[in-house]
Amino acid sequence: MNSDMKRNFALLSGPLAFLLLRFAAQSFGSAAASALGMAVWWVFRPVGIAVTALLPIAVNAVLNLIPSGHVISNYFSEIVVLLLGADLICLTWSRTGLDRRVAVKALCGIGTSMRQQIVAWLGASVVLSVFLPNVVVAAILCPIAAAMLKFVNGGEEPDVRQSAPILLAIGWGSGIGGFGSPIGGAANLVAIAYMEQLTGHEFMYVDWVLRFVPILFLVFLLNLFFLWQVNRTTQDLNGSASYFKKLNEAFGPLKRGEKIGLTLFVLATLLAFLRPLYAELLPGLKPAYSFLTLGLLMFVLRDENDEVMMDWKYAESHVMWGMMFLFASGMALGRMLIETGAVKQLTALIASSGPSGGLGTIALFAAFGCFLTELSSNTAAASIALPVVISITRAIGLNPVPYMLLTVVAVNCAYVLPVSTRAIPVSYGLDAGLQIRKGLRLTILNVLLVTALGWFCINYVPFFSRF
C-alpha cells in the first residue's frame, strides 16, 4: 500500500467507523458513533489529535444532538484552567533548563547493571509523572536516555536489546505515574469532575494521594519485575554513572530563573494539596485558580538576566493547547454520550451480563478501561468509561466511588500500542513490535493486579470507598 493509499485509508477510517456503528447498531446513536470514529482517527492519525479533539463541536453543530453550550463549555472548563496554569509554570522549567537538571539529578545515583538502570529510569519516570504531564516526562527522559546509551557505546548507536528495557521503562513509567496525584494527568481530573458532580462537594487532592500511592507502589513493582525479565543478555552499561555525574556538574548552581520556577511549582502544588486547611477561608481559590494565578506571575517575574520568565510569544507557541483540547473533547464526548442516552444503552448491554459488584465486575471495568485507553488516550478513555461505570454501579445499588477510582487506575495503565506517550520511546529507537508483544502480556497482568487490589480495597479498606 503506497503512501497516498495509506493516507486516504486513514482519512476515511473515521467516517466509515462512524457510519458502521450508526447504522449497524442504531440504538447507540450518533454520539457513540462519533466516539468510535474519533477513536479510530486517534489511532491512525490522518489529522492531528487536537484536530480530532474538536470534532464534538462540529458533529454536534451538524446533528444537533444536545444544546451547543453543553459541548462548548467543556473547552474552557475549570479543569482546563488548571491545565493551562500548570503548563505555564512548567514551561519555565524547559525554558530555564530546570526540567533537564531535575531529571539528571534523579539519575545521578544510577548503577551500571541493567537491573539498576531499569529501577532508576522507571522510578524517575513514575515520580516525575506524578507531578508533570506524562508526555512531558517521556519527552524529557527519552533524549537523555538515548544520549547516555550512545555515550556508553563509544558514540555508536546502541543495540536494540540494550535500549529496549530502558525505553520501555520510560514509556510505561511515564504513564502509570500519572494516577499518583490529581495533577499527574488529565484523566484524573476527569474523574474528579465526575465525582464532584456525583456527590455535590469538592474533592480534596490529599484524599486522592492517600488512596492511590499504595496502589501505585504495587503497580510500579509489577512493571519493575516484568521489565527485569524483558532482557537478560545485557548485564551492565559501563560508564553510565559517570555520564550523569558529568552532566550534573555542568549545570552549576541553581540560577534565579530556575529557583523561581521551582518555588512557584512547589507553592502551587502545596496550595492544591493543603486545600482543606483554607477551603472555608478562600472558597473560590480552588487548585485550578491557584495554579493559573501563579502561572500568570511568570509574565511579570524576572530571571537572572533581568528578562521576564515568560512572554506571550513563547507561551503561545509552547503551551500544550492540543492536550487541553484532548481533555476537553473527552468531557464533551462524555456529555454527548450521557445526554443522548448512549451511555444508558451501553450500560444496559453490560448489565445484561449480570454484574454483581464482585471480582467479575471489577475485572470487567479494569479491562474496559485498559481497552479504551489503548485506542485513544487516558483522558478520552476516562470520559467514556466513567459514565458507564457510574450508571452500572448505581443500577445494581452499589457505591460508584471505589469502582470509578479503580477504573482511573486502569485508564492510566496502557502498554501496547505506540500512541500517546508510548509513541515517544518508539521515535527514539524502541521497536514498536516488541512494545506490542511485551505490552500485551503486561496488560493482562495489570488487569489481574488491579482486579485483586480493587476487591481487597472494596472489602477491607473502608476509607477507599468513602467520599
Side-chain angles (χ1 to χ4, degrees), residues 14 32 46 50 53 110 154-155 177 196 248 289 300 302 317-318 322 368 391 400 420:
I110 200 168
E196 289 181 341
N248 187 55
Y289 308 117
V300 178
R302 295 181 175 271
S317 59
H318 288 79
F368 185 46
S391 298
S420 188

Side-chain angles (χ1 to χ4, degrees), residues 47 79 102 111 164 182 227 232 241 339 373 418 428:
V47 297
I79 307 302
V102 170
L227 282 166
R232 299 185 179 185
E339 293 190 24
T373 199
Y428 283 91

